[in-house]
Amino acid sequence: MNKQICLSLIAIATCCIMQSCTQTKKTATGTVSVSMADALSDSAEIASDTQIEAQKSYVEGYIFVHSAMCDESDDGHGYEWISADYFCLGNYEFPTTDYYSCLRDSGNLLYYCPGTQDQLYFRGYLTKERFAQSTRPVKACVDAPDSWHIGQPYAFCCSATGEVMHVTKIRINDPDAVLVLDEQGKTESLYGKYVYTVDNAGYENIFYREILDVYTESYDPDLTLKVNSSGYFSIVNSKTHQETPTSSVQRYPDLPDFSYLYFIDDSTITIDQLVYHKAEEKCEVIYDIASPMKVCDAPSSDVLDNISTWLSKGSYCATSGDGQFEYNIEVLADTCDDDADIIDYHAVKISCGDRVQAVELGEFRLFYDYRHENKVYNSYPFHSVQLDNTCTLLIFEKDDRPCPPILSIFALKDGHVSHVYDRTGYIKGLNSRRQPISIKLLSSLEQAEYEICEGVMHFTPATYYYLIISDGKLLRFDYR
């Protein structure tokens, strides 16, 4: 059963208990009261229609080319914005994975439900005139255009979030390849059909109308599904790295990363409700452990004398060379602690053995420590990333208000310290739980330049870039 229908049925059961729950809606002819149960019943019909539409070669929809402001709702919740680069279907439903979101048609108004897992609720409304000013109608196809080259990855970036996806079109050439549809063994042949790999910073999904997974008699979390450029599936064991050919696949049995992939044109796709645009990708090698290491100059005696009376805020021990070399990283602050109106000035001191090898001055910001599950704030403002068993990277964020902060990265290798990166960027996400490690950064303010006219926002998208740590290298990827 369609997951969205299930969510709606759960909500209907809830509303049976709460018979008095109603939703007030303003129409062009006045104000009416609609029961939540009726609203959810209609939503179930919408979800059913959506499932039927998904079987076609394309569905009708709309892309928000400008951000649209929803006017204040009757129940006083205030207004919300629907962001540019959002996508909704022709029935005003946003295709989503783990919640339900829609614009509900009510005469000349569209009431906005931003996202729910049980009861429908509305946060303001759009006039259909404003909706038309903010969107453009599109045909969303289930397969990529013929102009796409098979086996070639294309980079796509979402202006609303800065997320980058690499999408590759692959033709299945295994004549025995099948999608297992149910427990009774009903199958659909995949021979000659196209699947799409969607790679998000090294984490890859295989998509054919939905995400595919390994087909096995018993679930094994160490097994992942792969498809090669020749169009053949295989099962990879993440522990043993053994690869076994397979011809049978199934739908992803758990909650997937996304549920919908549509192709608007040669340069535009949608993943769930988000729109992605084809981007030009530029890669710069920042640091390579195979290259000779440029060692930092030791701090001068004047610098060491200046920070000798500063207070210690915390210290951390890092290692490299598979534990052969140990480094002490200490965060110091000047003596302004007693004055709440004065921000501490900091120094980060890195020493190995009895030698102080680097001192970095600036106002360092505290950050979550992603090395621990509880993610509590620590007394030292950095991340530590093991590049491999011979090198460790230390990542700092140095405040540079009113300008964007400075991201400083040090490499620790062979008992030496090298300052390998020192550029602006707000950390918007760090994924250190899988390889390659990725850091998404914002190099300019979000919506720094915008103009609002009659509830429609025209803005310049923010500029993001990624730092990727992979195969002993620190790489910077820029997209435009």
Side-chain angles (χ1 to χ4, degrees):
M1 183 181 293
N2 184 278
K3 174 172 61 58
Q4 292 168 337
I5 298 177
C6 293
L7 294 175
S8 298
L9 292 176
I10 293 171
I12 292 173
T14 304
C15 289
C16 290
I17 300 173
M18 302 176 63
Q19 293 291 332
S20 62
C21 180
T22 60
Q23 176 68 38
T24 302
K25 304 204 300 182
K26 185 181 295 182
T27 68
T29 58
T31 300
V32 296
S33 181
V34 179
S35 73
M36 190 64 72
D38 290 341
L40 289 168
S41 178
D42 292 344
S43 299
E45 293 179 9
I46 291 174
S48 178
D49 292 341
T50 302
Q51 182 68 13
I52 294 172
E53 287 291 308
Q55 305 306 316
K56 300 179 181 179
S57 60
Y58 69 88
V59 297
E60 303 283 353
Y62 301 91
I63 284 177
F64 281 79
V65 293
H66 304 295
S67 297
M69 185 179 73
C70 297
D71 290 321
E72 186 172 4
S73 58
D74 294 344
D75 52 6
H77 284 296
Y79 61 82
E80 287 200 8
W81 287 89
I82 301 176
S83 174
D85 275 340
Y86 266 49
F87 167 69
C88 71
L89 299 169
N91 56 14
Y92 304 121
E93 178 185 348
F94 293 91
T96 56
T97 292
D98 57 348
Y99 61 91
Y100 179 77
S101 178
C102 69
L103 287 163
R104 185 165 181 85
D105 194 349
S106 178
N108 191 43
L109 301 178
L110 296 169
Y111 279 77
Y112 181 43
C113 173
T116 181
Q117 292 184 327
D118 40 50
Q119 279 188 309
L120 281 180
Y121 64 95
F122 300 97
R123 292 291 186 264
Y125 49 81
L126 288 171
T127 64
K128 287 189 175 178
E129 180 182 7
R130 183 177 298 169
F131 178 84
Q133 293 172 340
S134 307
T135 63
R136 68 178 176 97
V138 296
K139 284 183 170 62
C141 300
V142 298
D143 275 310
D146 294 338
S147 58
W148 278 40
H149 297 292
I150 295 174
Q152 177 177 335
Y154 295 92
F156 287 85
C157 185
C158 178
S159 298
T161 64
E163 291 297 327
V164 174
M165 301 287 184
H166 291 83
V167 183
T168 307
K169 176 182 179 180
I170 296 177
R171 184 183 186 274
I172 298 302
N173 292 313
D174 179 1
D176 299 323
V178 294
L179 170 63
V180 180
L181 300 175
D182 55 33
E183 295 181 355
Q184 286 68 45
K186 183 179 179 181
T187 62
E188 174 187 351
S189 174
L190 295 179
Y191 176 59
K193 297 179 180 177
Y194 295 109
V195 300
Y196 302 90
T197 62
V198 182
D199 187 299
N200 179 13
Y203 186 78
E204 185 177 271
N205 286 301
I206 303 172
F207 192 91
Y208 172 77
R209 310 301 184 257
E210 55 193 315
I211 290 177
L212 303 179
D213 194 22
V214 171
Y215 178 70
T216 58
E217 293 183 358
S218 59
Y219 174 73
D220 187 340
D222 296 326
L223 302 182
T224 57
L225 182 68
K226 297 291 181 182
V227 61
N228 61 27
S229 57
S230 300
Y232 286 80
F233 293 108
S234 62
I235 300 173
V236 178
N237 188 306
S238 59
K239 287 186 175 179
T240 64
H241 303 290
Q242 181 179 359
E243 190 167 337
T244 306
T246 186
S247 295
S248 298
V249 299
Q250 67 174 358
R251 300 182 179 100
Y252 193 76
D254 298 318
L255 186 68
D257 289 344
F258 61 92
S259 301
Y260 302 90
L261 172 64
Y262 290 118
F263 302 86
I264 307 303
D265 52 42
D266 184 64
S267 60
T268 310
I269 66 172
T270 68
I271 296 178
D272 280 1
Q273 79 278 20
L274 294 176
V275 179
Y276 291 75
H277 302 279
K278 188 179 289 186
E280 181 182 337
E281 185 176 67
K282 178 183 177 183
C283 176
E284 177 186 0
V285 179
I286 302 299
Y287 175 70
D288 187 346
I289 61 171
S291 301
M293 186 173 182
K294 183 179 179 181
V295 179
C296 283
D297 293 332
S300 67
S301 58
D302 289 342
V303 170
L304 295 177
D305 288 341
N306 184 43
I307 65 172
S308 62
T309 59
W310 289 19
L311 304 176
S312 176
K313 288 291 186 179
S315 61
Y316 171 71
C317 182
T319 62
S320 71
D322 204 16
Q324 180 180 0
F325 300 99
E326 289 191 354
Y327 306 79
N328 184 63
I329 299 95
E330 191 172 12
V331 180
L332 306 172
D334 61 13
T335 54
C336 296
D337 283 18
D338 295 335
D339 193 335
D341 294 330
I342 299 178
I343 301 174
D344 284 344
Y345 198 66
H346 291 97
V348 174
K349 184 173 72 172
I350 306 174
S351 55
C352 183
D354 58 355
R355 294 172 293 128
V356 177
Q357 298 205 11
V359 171
E360 178 78 359
L361 297 172
E363 181 189 331
F364 292 91
R365 296 155 56 101
L366 289 175
F367 241 85
Y368 283 117
D369 184 356
Y370 284 81
R371 294 177 297 105
H372 298 289
E373 289 293 336
N374 58 9
K375 295 190 177 74
V376 297
Y377 280 107
N378 289 307
S379 57
Y380 33 84
F382 60 85
H383 300 286
S384 174
V385 178
Q386 193 76 26
L387 197 60
D388 67 2
N389 62 358
T390 66
C391 184
T392 297
L393 295 183
L394 297 180
I395 304 172
F396 299 82
E397 189 181 58
K398 181 170 59 178
D399 206 339
D400 193 32
R401 285 176 283 189
C403 301
I406 305 295
L407 193 74
S408 294
I409 302 180
F410 289 87
L412 313 179
K413 181 184 178 184
D414 298 334
H416 299 290
V417 178
S418 178
H419 195 179
V420 298
Y421 194 78
D422 195 55
R423 302 183 195 175
T424 59
Y426 295 96
I427 296 179
K428 302 294 288 185
L430 184 149
N431 187 340
S432 59
R433 299 184 181 278
R434 63 176 185 240
Q435 294 291 337
I437 296 167
S438 65
I439 309 168
K440 183 175 73 171
L441 298 118
L442 174 66
S443 60
S444 63
L445 291 175
E446 292 176 290
Q447 299 184 8
E449 297 180 9
Y450 63 89
E451 177 185 357
I452 300 176
C453 181
E454 296 182 352
V456 178
M457 181 191 295
H458 306 254
F459 70 93
T460 302
T463 302
Y464 293 90
Y465 69 95
Y466 280 75
L467 292 179
I468 306 294
I469 300 170
S470 177
D471 297 328
K473 296 183 179 68
L474 174 65
L475 308 171
R476 170 169 171 156
F477 288 87
D478 290 271
Y479 300 89
R480 64 180 180 86

